[in-house]
């Protein structure tokens, strides 16, 4: 950059020198010469222009006067002398190559060159400046701007920083400091760690709020789960817990199997754990009928069947837990066939059991649900109670069977299954609908095809019909014997979609004249009668209306269903004086509106003001009140917030790239701006469209 | 026996301390508060009237100069300090809170043509008719010390204006050419020329600080880029531009004060036509300065008045004048957006409020709320003719009033003539030229 400056400077000084030489007075020239002499004294080297003494036709800029100035130099002439010498072959080659090259174009004139530079610079600068476009538009549109733009964030100065400048001076202070030092009290202990200070500066309010919300949510979820666990723990039913435990175990087993398939190693590790458990069980005396409880049971066992059963159960459990788990390795498939068969049988049994368990659990859940509903909705208590009672009496298993059926049906027809899920919430009806469906499915056989597919098929058919109306005779597929509601609905909708195109075409072909069309188009209109009706309506509307000032309840009994007395109505229904005769009284074809009030017009806005596009908009803006009489305090504050806020005694600096995050620092414009907008024609922000209001 | 009585929670109606405001339960049912629009209209009307009643913008006059005030400069760091240069070469530094001159320097022989403060506020520069550029310390000299400039640069020609770079130790002067100087050197870093005429003002762009704008007496406005040390583009207007000022919030917007009584706001990317023509003055506009918020600007005119224009409006929102104020030569908007300073021919600097009816000093919250509400109402009903009439009414001195009238007649006559000409010439031979394009002669690349 510095060299550039220097270069320019030199050029300027040179040009100045030339200017001086050209057309100045004698004294000026002498002065100039003196200046030059002085400047040469200063030791600054200048190229001295060789003085010309001879007048020649042309002088080159290097002060070489040549004789054959007008003649052209031909390259071949230069080549001639070096022809015989082979040593100069390389030179010759170069020269021939030069000969083949085209002549360089003339450089641009100084003015032209400057203009090119200027244009390039202008384009670049306007591009650089254009990156402010977004910011500027944003600020222009902003609801509120607070100046100065750079708001200082108040940070807490650490105590040790504030205290570092302070020194103990008075004897009391010194004494205290001495004591503190003696006890090695950390005076300069960083009260705020660097991280804390960083977080203080970095954590914005928004972030903090977000974080707080997250924490709150997590806490809520946690408390919810806690409550759930507590609730479940509270359930006293042993059966429920037993069933629950069993299902858990089943689930664990299933998971283990899955794991065994997907990740054998992890399964092995799991197995080890199980083995550990088994070992523990073997060591412990827990399930061996030797505890206090077991002994008491043993006494009872003689007479009580249940006690005996419990003991046996315990023993069975022990057996189960101490049983060694066999490891099935995938390689041993062929040898294990019978075993597998056995296991499969077992599994079937288990599944049955499981379904029962599930059914039981569901039963529990339903009961709970019913109870909750009763608690929640006192209105529907009566009906629900009856159901609950009936359930309690012993028709519990029926819904479970239904549920099974639902599940089985769901596999076959997913859309119907969805419906059932919705319906299952209302117990009584679900059953009946289901029965109907079951019946239908029995009758249909393979009927239940997906309705979407049916619709698509239908559409295709309809299209075909549209193209060739004759083919309408074609029979619908024989499959449809039973009319389903869905199909019917689909059909009716399709019927509407069917275009009536061919009819229109026929009409066009028939031909017609313009007048006919017009008369046909306005066949039903009776303009004169319409106008008359309109005028009558306007007359009616312009008639002054009686003013009703009747207040029910004043001077007599009031209340619902009571009407004010006729006497009162007669007294307080004020009849206005008759209106002056209308101006269009004797003009049958004219309606003259007398709505416009000239006196009010002086106070009304006659023209739609600029930022509004439609008069409704403007009217709306006037109609909404902003005052505290009609708005709450907060709304009032929001509505009356000033557009620009400045703080007294604060200097407002010009906007800079630091104030605006998305404008890259304009460090010489070298850095590519983050957002670059091509300098396109700016949409006129200041234009005022003139439009008339009503 | 159980007696039922009305009972209320005292928390709902008892104040905690007697300094608290009384709770006023309110019912916002619109049926209870009818006639919203008429009531608000009345309030708006009253607010507008009160605004006019309280519009007393003139604060004080700073007298002390012995010749017309030719230029002023704001202190970049201190709101209470203002510098002014007079036609007799005297520079005064004023304290606005005390409204006193705190320092006087005989800076130049002849006019002080221009002055500017360094961005850090430690020193300031002046240029004068004696072909010198002088740099001065901002603090007054110690007792016994002589009042002397830090640096003096002797130039070959008269400098007519000066402006300092907003971030670097670089300043620009104008005269026969625009020179850009390093503070440490006695010769300019580079000189920018385009055409030969005296340049009356040069201004650095406050946002994109490498940009410069200048206006010359051959009616043109030229933009320069300091990085490439090249001019960028030139606009030739109908008449001479006296000064220009860049918008401090919008990097590409600048406003030019023209001799033809108008101000032109340009977007530097589209110089073919100004974004806005601001017309209201009745004589040459001599100076212009933007408010630091970039929403408005103030202009000083030869017609002895100061006007405030919103950037996006064609007409002024305010006109300031006093009986004794002569041709206003220079004007500044203070950096806190609160006050306006104008220096005029009759040796005085006047301090005005930027918002004529604003109450100065600390406002109570209720006062503030009321003020905001009134402002909002005025805005809401500003298009209603009666309110607009009151809000727009300004008393003008007779000279300006007559001038305005005369100009209106002239403009009307011109319009009529054009209309007639158009009527009597071949259709299409007299194209319509918009007001914006009318004043631009050419844009030179």
């Amino acid at each position: 950059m510095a060299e550039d400056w220097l270069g320019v400077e030199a050029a300027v000084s040179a040009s100045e020198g030339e200017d001086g030489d050209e057309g100045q007075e004698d004294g000026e020239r002498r002065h100039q010469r003196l200046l030059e002499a002085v400047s040469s004294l200063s030791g600054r080297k200048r190229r001295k222009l060789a003085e010309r003494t001879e007048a020649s036709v042309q002088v080159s800029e290097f002060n070489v006067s040549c004789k054959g100035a007008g003649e052209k130099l031909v390259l071949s002439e230069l080549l001639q002398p070096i022809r015989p010498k082979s040593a100069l072959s390389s030179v010759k080659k170069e020269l021939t190559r030069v000969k083949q090259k085209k002549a360089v174009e003339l450089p641009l004139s100084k003015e032209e060159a400057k203009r090119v530079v200027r244009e390039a610079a202008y384009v670049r600068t306007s591009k650089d400046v254009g990156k402010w476009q977004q910011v500027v538009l944003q600020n222009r549109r902003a609801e509120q701007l607070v100046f100065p733009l750079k708001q200082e964030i108040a940070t807490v100065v650490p105590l040790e920083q504030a205290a570092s400048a302070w020194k103990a001076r008075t004897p009391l202070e010194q004494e205290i400091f001495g004591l503190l030092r003696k006890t090695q009290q950390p005076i300069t202990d960083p009260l705020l760690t660097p991280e804390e200070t960083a977080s203080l500066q970095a954590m914005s309010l928004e972030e903090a709020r977000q974080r707080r919300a997250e924490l709150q949510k997590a806490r809520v979820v946690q408390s919810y789960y806690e409550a759930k666990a507590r609730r479940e723990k509270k359930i006293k039913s042993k059966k429920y817990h037993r069933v629950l435990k069993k299902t858990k175990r089943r689930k664990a087993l299933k998971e283990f199997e899955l794991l065994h398939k997907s990740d054998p190693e992890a399964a092995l590790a799991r197995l080890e754990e199980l083995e550990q458990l088994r070992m523990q069980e073997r060591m412990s005396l827990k399930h061996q009928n030797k505890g206090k409880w077991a002994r008491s049971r043993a006494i009872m066992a003689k007479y009580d069947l249940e006690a005996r059963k419990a003991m046996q159960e315990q023993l069975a459990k022990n057996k189960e837990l101490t049983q060694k788990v066999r490891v099935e390795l995938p390689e041993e498939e062929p040898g294990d066939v019978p075993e597998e068969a056995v296991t499969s049988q077992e599994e079937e049994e288990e599944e049955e059991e499981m379904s029962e368990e599930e059914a039981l659990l569901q039963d529990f859940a339903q009961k709970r649900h019913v109870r909750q509903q009763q608690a929640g909705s006192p209105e529907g208590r009566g009906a629900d109670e009856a159901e609950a009672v009936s359930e309690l009496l012993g028709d519990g298993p029926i819904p479970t069977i239904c549920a099974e059926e639902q599940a089985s049906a769901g596999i076959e027809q997913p859309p119907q299954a969805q419906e059932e899920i919705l319906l299952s919430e209302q117990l009584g009806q679900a059953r009946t609908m289901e029965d109907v469906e079951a019946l239908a499915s029995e009758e249909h056989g393979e009927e239940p095809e997906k309705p979407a597919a049916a619709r698509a098929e239908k559409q295709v058919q309809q299209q075909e019909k549209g193209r060739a109306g004759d083919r309408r005779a074609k029979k619908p597929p024989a499959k449809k014997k039973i009319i389903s509601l869905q199909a019917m609905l689909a059909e009716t909708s399709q019927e509407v979609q069917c275009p009536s195109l061919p009819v229109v075409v026929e009409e066009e072909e028939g031909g017609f004249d313009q007048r006919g069309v017009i008369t046909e188009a306005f066949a039903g209109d009776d303009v004169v009668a319409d106008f008359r009706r309109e005028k009558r309506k306007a007359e009616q509307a312009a008639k002054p209306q009686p003013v009703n000032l009747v207040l029910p309840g004043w001077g007599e009994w009031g209340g619902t269903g009571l009407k004010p007395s006729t006497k009162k109505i007669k007294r307080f229904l004020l009849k206005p004086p008759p209106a002056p005769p209308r101006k269009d009284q004797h003009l049958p074809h004219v309606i003259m509106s007398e709505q416009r009030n000239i006196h009010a017009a002086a106070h009304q806005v006659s023209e739609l003001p600029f930022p509004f596009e439609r008069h409704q908009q403007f009217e709306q803006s006037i109609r909404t009140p902003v005052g505290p009489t009609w708005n709450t305090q907060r709304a009032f504050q929001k509505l009356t917030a000033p557009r620009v806020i400045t703080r007294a005694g604060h200097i407002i600096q010009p906007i800079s790239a630091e104030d605006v995050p998305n404008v890259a620092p304009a460090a010489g414009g070298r850095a590519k701006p983050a957002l670059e907008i091509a300098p396109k024609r700016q949409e006129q922000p200041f234009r005022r469209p003139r439009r008339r209001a009503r | 026996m159980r007696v039922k009585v009305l009972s209320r929670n005292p928390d709902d109606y008892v104040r905690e301390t007697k300094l608290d405001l009384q709770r006023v339960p309110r019912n916002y049912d619109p049926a209870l508060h009818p006639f919203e629009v008429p009531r608000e209209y009345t309030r708006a009307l009253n607010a507008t009237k009160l605004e006019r009643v309280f519009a007393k913008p003139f604060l004080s006059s700073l007298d002390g100069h012995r010749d017309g005030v030719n230029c002023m400069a704001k202190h970049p760091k201190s709101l209470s300090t203002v510098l002014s240069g007079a036609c007799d070469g005297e520079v005064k530094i004023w304290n606005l809170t005390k409204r006193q001159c705190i320092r006087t320097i005989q800076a130049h022989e002849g006019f002080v043509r221009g002055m500017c403060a360094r961005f850090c506020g430690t020193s300031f520069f002046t240029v004068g008719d004696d072909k010198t550029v002088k740099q001065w310390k901002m603090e007054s000299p110690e007792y016994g010390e002589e009042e002397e400039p830090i640096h003096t640069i002797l130039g070959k020609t008269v400098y007519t204006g000066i402006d300092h770079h907003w971030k670097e130790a670089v300043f620009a002067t104008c005269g026969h050419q625009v020179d850009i100087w390093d503070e440490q050197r006695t010769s300019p870093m580079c000189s920018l020329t385009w055409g030969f005429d005296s340049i009356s003002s040069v201004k650095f762009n406050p946002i994109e600080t490498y940009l410069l704008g200048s206006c010359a007496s051959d009616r043109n406005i030229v933009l320069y880029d300091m990085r490439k040390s090249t001019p960028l583009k030139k606009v030739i207007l109908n008449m001479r531009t006296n000064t220009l000022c860049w918008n401090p919030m919008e990097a590409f917007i600048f406003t030019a004060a023209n001799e033809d009584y108008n101000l032109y706001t340009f977007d530097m990317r589209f110089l073919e036509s100004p974004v806005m023509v601001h017309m209201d003055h009745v004589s040459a506009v001599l100076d212009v300065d933007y408010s630091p918020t970039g929403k408005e600007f103030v202009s000083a005119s030869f017609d002895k008045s100061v006007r405030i224009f919103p950037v996006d409006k064609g007409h002024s929102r305010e006109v300031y004048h006093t009986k004794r104020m002569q041709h206003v030569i220079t004007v500044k908007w203070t950096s806190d957006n609160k006050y306006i300073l104008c220096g005029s021919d009759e040796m005085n600097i006047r301090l005005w409020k930027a918002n004529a009816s604003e109450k100065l000093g600390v406002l109570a919250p209720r006062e503030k709320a009321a003020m905001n509400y009134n402002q909002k109402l005025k805005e809401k009903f500003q298009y209603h003719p009666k309110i607009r009439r009151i809000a727009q009414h300004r008393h003008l001195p007779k000279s300006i009033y007559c001038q305005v009238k005369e100009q209106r007649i002239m403009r009307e006559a011109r319009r009529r003539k054009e209309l007639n000409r158009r009527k009597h010439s071949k259709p299409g031979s007299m194209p319509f030229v918009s007001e914006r394009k009318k004043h631009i002669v050419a844009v030179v690349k």
Side-chain angles (χ1 to χ4, degrees), chain A residues 635-648:
Chain A
F636 169 67
Q637 276 169 3
K638 251 180 208 169
L639 282 170
T640 58
R643 298 294 298 272
V644 173
I645 293 180
T646 55
R647 296 162 76 198

Side-chain angles (χ1 to χ4, degrees), chain B residues 146-328:
Chain B
E146 284 225 7
E147 190 80 85
E148 270 188 342
I150 308 171
H151 296 297
T152 306
I153 300 167
L154 291 168
K156 284 175 194 164
T157 54
V158 177
Y159 299 108
T160 52
I162 186 168
D163 194 25
H164 201 282
H165 194 279
W166 287 79
K167 278 166 189 162
E168 290 163 25
V170 169
F171 64 92
T173 60
C174 60
H176 278 277
Q177 69 215 13
V178 173
D179 291 322
I180 294 171
W181 307 73
D182 193 330
E183 278 178 14
Q184 306 301 321
R185 288 162 62 169
T186 51
S187 56
M189 285 202 296
C190 75
S191 300
L192 304 160
T193 50
W194 191 356
F196 303 93
D197 222 317
S198 60
I199 295 160
S200 57
S201 149
V202 64
K203 288 280 161 69
F204 273 103
N205 188 324
I207 305 167
E208 295 292 339
T209 45
Y210 51 84
L211 264 176
L212 286 149
S214 79
C215 43
S217 54
D218 61 350
R219 306 176 299 162
N220 60 29
I221 300 169
V222 187
L223 301 177
Y224 306 93
D225 190 340
M226 206 182 76
R227 298 173 299 179
K228 286 263 173 186
S229 64
T230 168
L232 298 173
K233 222 170 204 188
K234 177 150 82 174
V235 197
I236 303 174
L237 291 139
N238 263 338
M239 286 180 89
R240 196 171 86 106
T241 301
N242 286 314
T243 35
L244 56 85
C245 186
W246 292 92
N247 191 325
M249 289 293 151
E250 303 177 358
F252 39 77
I253 300 284
F254 66 89
T255 299
N258 204 288
E259 283 278 317
D260 65 357
Y261 316 168
N262 294 340
L263 291 118
Y264 301 100
T265 298
F266 282 96
D267 186 332
M268 73 149 277
R269 299 167 300 167
F270 315 107
L271 290 170
E272 289 74 26
S273 74
V275 182
M276 205 52 164
V277 181
H278 310 271
M279 34 181 35
D280 256 354
H281 279 297
V282 288
S283 189
V285 190
L286 298 180
D287 198 9
V288 59
D289 192 34
Y290 261 96
S291 82
T293 59
K295 300 270 177 211
E296 291 174 324
F297 60 80
V298 60
S299 65
S301 168
F302 197 75
D303 62 10
K304 307 174 188 176
S305 72
V306 172
R307 279 181 189 269
I308 301 172
F309 292 86
V311 180
D312 53 353
K313 297 274 160 56
H315 290 277
S316 60
R317 76 156 168 86
E318 199 67 75
V319 54
Y320 292 161
H321 55 84
T322 61
K323 222 170 210 175
R324 297 182 181 188
M325 190 160 75
Q326 292 302 309
H327 313 304
V328 192

Side-chain angles (χ1 to χ4, degrees), chain A residues 604-640:
Chain A
Q604 283 169 339
V605 181
S606 59
E607 212 171 61
L608 186 65
F610 159 53
F612 302 99
E613 309 240 307
R614 272 170 287 117
H615 67 86
Q616 287 97 339
Q617 244 176 27
F618 177 63
E619 278 165 14
Q620 183 62 37
S621 85
I622 292 294
R623 218 178 297 128
T624 28
V626 288
T629 322
W630 298 275
N631 295 297
T632 58
Q633 186 66 18
R634 188 57 60 79
F636 169 67
Q637 276 169 3
K638 251 180 208 169
L639 282 170
T640 58

Side-chain angles (χ1 to χ4, degrees), chain B residues 121-136:
Chain B
T122 51
S123 62
F124 64 94
F125 296 82
T126 57
V127 290
D129 267 353
D130 52 0
K131 304 183 186 176
T132 53
V133 181
K134 288 181 181 173
Q135 185 182 8
W136 306 84

Side-chain angles (χ1 to χ4, degrees), chain B residues 343-380:
Chain B
S344 49
D345 242 1
E346 86 311 321
M347 310 179 275
N348 277 326
I349 297 169
R350 289 192 169 75
L351 184 65
W352 308 85
K353 284 191 266 185
N355 201 351
S357 59
E358 191 185 24
K359 191 189 169 200
L360 294 179
V362 182
L363 292 179
R366 291 180 67 183
E367 266 181 309
K368 213 180 268 176
M371 198 185 71
N372 287 345
Y373 181 40
N374 281 346
Q375 191 59 39
K376 191 73 191 176
L377 284 178
K378 277 184 268 175
E379 251 169 55
K380 186 177 162 187

